[in-house]
Amino acid sequence: MKALVTGFEPFGGDRVNPALEALRLLPARLGALDIATLALPTAFGGSLAALEDAVATTRPDIVLGLGLAGGRAALSLERVAINIDDARIPDNSGVQPIDRPVVPGGPAAYFATLPIKAAVAALRGAGLPAIVSNSAGTFVCNHLFYGLLHLGATRRPGFRGGFLHLPYLPAQAASHADAPSMALADIVRGVAIVLEIAAARRDDIEAAEGAMS
Ligand code: PCA
């Protein structure tokens, strides 16, 4: 089995992105799972194009996107990607779409196709704070996640896809008042657990992970 894991470059004034740092520390192999990594520009246009190229050449069974969600306290397995770009700040190319579809005419949303609840349970079992998140936002991460799932639903069936949002690293949180953070070693451990669960099972568990907000 093959996994493709992507991570975004720093954006919005931060000098690091835990997604990119975690990517650098992932092993090339986890049990029977081969892991390919791909660094992506935090840009609406470029990120999806690069991902599509990598999926075409790598032909992965599993694709996991990683991105920073500064302010979140837990590893956040995203449940849903929505067909909207609504950027609060310009991306790294200076582009700031407002209320534009990711894919004109595409469905309103796609659900992750990885076992997110099983992954959250395993993360907690390993002593890592984790949640199912019901919004990946409307910036580049959601854009990539939607584009990935659309690709899988249309032109390139054959892989299962998910997205994991990460808290700040401690050094980043130091310059954001009262912000929660997670050590890089824990983030890397968490990414490996998500990949292992995704490789081990296709079906998800039934567990109450709903949230009021
Ligand atoms: N986080 C941003 C884009 C890149 C990243 O790491 C987001 O959540 O959309």
Side-chain angles (χ1 to χ4, degrees), residues 8-9 11 17 19 42 66-69 136 139-142 165:
F8 281 107
E9 288 168 358
F11 67 100
N17 190 326
T42 302
L66 305 177
L68 167 67
F139 194 48
V140 181
C141 288
N142 173 75
H165 259 131

mmCIF file of all heavy atoms in Angstrom, residues 8-9 11 17 19 42 66-69 136 139-142 165, ligand 1:
data_model
loop_
_atom_site.group_PDB
_atom_site.id
_atom_site.type_symbol
_atom_site.label_atom_id
_atom_site.label_comp_id
_atom_site.label_asym_id
_atom_site.label_seq_id
_atom_site.Cartn_x
_atom_site.Cartn_y
_atom_site.Cartn_z
ATOM 1 N N PHE A 8 1.657 21.967 3.954
ATOM 2 C CA PHE A 8 1.709 23.323 3.400
ATOM 3 C C PHE A 8 2.905 24.119 3.905
ATOM 4 O O PHE A 8 3.373 23.944 5.039
ATOM 5 C CB PHE A 8 0.436 24.084 3.778
ATOM 6 C CG PHE A 8 -0.743 23.730 2.926
ATOM 7 C CD1 PHE A 8 -1.777 22.966 3.439
ATOM 8 C CD2 PHE A 8 -0.810 24.145 1.607
ATOM 9 C CE1 PHE A 8 -2.872 22.636 2.660
ATOM 10 C CE2 PHE A 8 -1.898 23.822 0.811
ATOM 11 C CZ PHE A 8 -2.930 23.064 1.338
ATOM 12 N N GLU A 9 3.350 25.031 3.050
ATOM 13 C CA GLU A 9 4.393 25.985 3.429
ATOM 14 C C GLU A 9 3.822 27.016 4.406
ATOM 15 O O GLU A 9 2.605 27.193 4.484
ATOM 16 C CB GLU A 9 4.918 26.682 2.166
ATOM 17 C CG GLU A 9 5.759 25.735 1.333
ATOM 18 C CD GLU A 9 6.055 26.268 -0.054
ATOM 19 O OE1 GLU A 9 5.567 27.373 -0.399
ATOM 20 O OE2 GLU A 9 6.761 25.561 -0.781
ATOM 21 N N PHE A 11 2.516 30.417 6.047
ATOM 22 C CA PHE A 11 1.642 31.426 5.423
ATOM 23 C C PHE A 11 1.222 32.436 6.477
ATOM 24 O O PHE A 11 1.415 32.213 7.686
ATOM 25 C CB PHE A 11 0.396 30.755 4.821
ATOM 26 C CG PHE A 11 -0.510 30.162 5.867
ATOM 27 C CD1 PHE A 11 -1.660 30.834 6.302
ATOM 28 C CD2 PHE A 11 -0.203 28.952 6.464
ATOM 29 C CE1 PHE A 11 -2.476 30.291 7.283
ATOM 30 C CE2 PHE A 11 -1.013 28.406 7.449
ATOM 31 C CZ PHE A 11 -2.153 29.077 7.857
ATOM 32 N N ASN A 17 5.525 26.112 9.452
ATOM 33 C CA ASN A 17 4.226 25.449 9.426
ATOM 34 C C ASN A 17 4.451 24.026 9.954
ATOM 35 O O ASN A 17 5.271 23.291 9.391
ATOM 36 C CB ASN A 17 3.666 25.415 8.002
ATOM 37 C CG ASN A 17 2.216 24.948 7.969
ATOM 38 O OD1 ASN A 17 1.816 24.108 8.772
ATOM 39 N ND2 ASN A 17 1.446 25.489 7.041
ATOM 40 N N ALA A 19 2.882 21.494 9.583
ATOM 41 C CA ALA A 19 2.589 20.497 8.544
ATOM 42 C C ALA A 19 3.864 20.151 7.768
ATOM 43 O O ALA A 19 4.182 18.979 7.551
ATOM 44 C CB ALA A 19 1.514 21.025 7.609
ATOM 45 N N THR A 42 1.151 27.364 -0.164
ATOM 46 C CA THR A 42 -0.141 27.774 0.392
ATOM 47 C C THR A 42 -0.766 28.758 -0.596
ATOM 48 O O THR A 42 -0.749 29.974 -0.399
ATOM 49 C CB THR A 42 0.030 28.364 1.803
ATOM 50 O OG1 THR A 42 0.658 27.362 2.619
ATOM 51 C CG2 THR A 42 -1.307 28.717 2.421
ATOM 52 N N LEU A 66 -2.030 17.641 5.331
ATOM 53 C CA LEU A 66 -1.741 18.231 6.645
ATOM 54 C C LEU A 66 -1.711 19.739 6.509
ATOM 55 O O LEU A 66 -1.176 20.281 5.539
ATOM 56 C CB LEU A 66 -0.370 17.777 7.159
ATOM 57 C CG LEU A 66 -0.092 16.278 7.247
ATOM 58 C CD1 LEU A 66 1.353 16.054 7.702
ATOM 59 C CD2 LEU A 66 -1.068 15.604 8.193
ATOM 60 N N GLY A 67 -2.273 20.422 7.501
ATOM 61 C CA GLY A 67 -2.227 21.886 7.494
ATOM 62 C C GLY A 67 -2.335 22.411 8.910
ATOM 63 O O GLY A 67 -2.749 21.698 9.830
ATOM 64 N N LEU A 68 -1.961 23.662 9.063
ATOM 65 C CA LEU A 68 -2.038 24.320 10.372
ATOM 66 C C LEU A 68 -3.419 24.935 10.577
ATOM 67 O O LEU A 68 -3.952 25.588 9.683
ATOM 68 C CB LEU A 68 -0.981 25.440 10.428
ATOM 69 C CG LEU A 68 -1.092 26.441 11.579
ATOM 70 C CD1 LEU A 68 -0.823 25.776 12.929
ATOM 71 C CD2 LEU A 68 -0.126 27.601 11.365
ATOM 72 N N ALA A 69 -3.983 24.704 11.751
ATOM 73 C CA ALA A 69 -5.176 25.452 12.170
ATOM 74 C C ALA A 69 -4.819 26.112 13.498
ATOM 75 O O ALA A 69 -5.091 25.560 14.571
ATOM 76 C CB ALA A 69 -6.385 24.538 12.301
ATOM 77 N N ALA A 136 -13.242 22.464 7.891
ATOM 78 C CA ALA A 136 -11.836 22.690 7.546
ATOM 79 C C ALA A 136 -11.615 24.141 7.146
ATOM 80 O O ALA A 136 -10.566 24.485 6.599
ATOM 81 C CB ALA A 136 -11.421 21.751 6.420
ATOM 82 N N PHE A 139 -10.331 28.378 3.548
ATOM 83 C CA PHE A 139 -9.061 28.873 2.981
ATOM 84 C C PHE A 139 -8.411 27.741 2.165
ATOM 85 O O PHE A 139 -9.103 26.863 1.639
ATOM 86 C CB PHE A 139 -8.186 29.388 4.140
ATOM 87 C CG PHE A 139 -7.001 30.227 3.729
ATOM 88 C CD1 PHE A 139 -7.119 31.277 2.823
ATOM 89 C CD2 PHE A 139 -5.746 29.975 4.276
ATOM 90 C CE1 PHE A 139 -6.022 32.045 2.459
ATOM 91 C CE2 PHE A 139 -4.638 30.742 3.930
ATOM 92 C CZ PHE A 139 -4.771 31.776 3.017
ATOM 93 N N VAL A 140 -7.108 27.748 2.071
ATOM 94 C CA VAL A 140 -6.433 26.837 1.133
ATOM 95 C C VAL A 140 -6.554 25.365 1.552
ATOM 96 O O VAL A 140 -6.599 24.472 0.713
ATOM 97 C CB VAL A 140 -4.954 27.250 0.951
ATOM 98 C CG1 VAL A 140 -4.266 26.331 -0.044
ATOM 99 C CG2 VAL A 140 -4.863 28.693 0.449
ATOM 100 N N CYS A 141 -6.613 25.094 2.851
ATOM 101 C CA CYS A 141 -6.721 23.690 3.296
ATOM 102 C C CYS A 141 -8.026 23.066 2.832
ATOM 103 O O CYS A 141 -8.046 21.951 2.301
ATOM 104 C CB CYS A 141 -6.589 23.583 4.816
ATOM 105 S SG CYS A 141 -4.905 23.884 5.387
ATOM 106 N N ASN A 142 -9.136 23.780 3.047
ATOM 107 C CA ASN A 142 -10.425 23.263 2.577
ATOM 108 C C ASN A 142 -10.425 23.124 1.052
ATOM 109 O O ASN A 142 -10.953 22.154 0.502
ATOM 110 C CB ASN A 142 -11.558 24.188 3.023
ATOM 111 C CG ASN A 142 -12.884 23.779 2.410
ATOM 112 O OD1 ASN A 142 -13.498 22.802 2.810
ATOM 113 N ND2 ASN A 142 -13.312 24.518 1.383
ATOM 114 N N HIS A 165 -5.883 18.717 10.451
ATOM 115 C CA HIS A 165 -5.426 20.045 10.856
ATOM 116 C C HIS A 165 -4.636 19.933 12.161
ATOM 117 O O HIS A 165 -5.007 19.167 13.067
ATOM 118 C CB HIS A 165 -6.630 20.991 11.047
ATOM 119 C CG HIS A 165 -6.846 21.922 9.893
ATOM 120 N ND1 HIS A 165 -8.069 22.107 9.289
ATOM 121 C CD2 HIS A 165 -5.977 22.754 9.238
ATOM 122 C CE1 HIS A 165 -7.947 22.998 8.311
ATOM 123 N NE2 HIS A 165 -6.687 23.402 8.261
HETATM 124 N N1 PCA B 1 -3.403 26.055 6.911
HETATM 125 C C1 PCA B 1 -4.263 26.890 6.112
HETATM 126 C C2 PCA B 1 -3.673 26.865 4.733
HETATM 127 C C3 PCA B 1 -2.311 26.288 4.885
HETATM 128 C C4 PCA B 1 -2.275 25.724 6.233
HETATM 129 O O1 PCA B 1 -1.353 25.051 6.724
HETATM 130 C C5 PCA B 1 -5.737 26.487 6.187
HETATM 131 O O2 PCA B 1 -6.153 25.935 7.210
HETATM 132 O O3 PCA B 1 -6.466 26.716 5.233
#
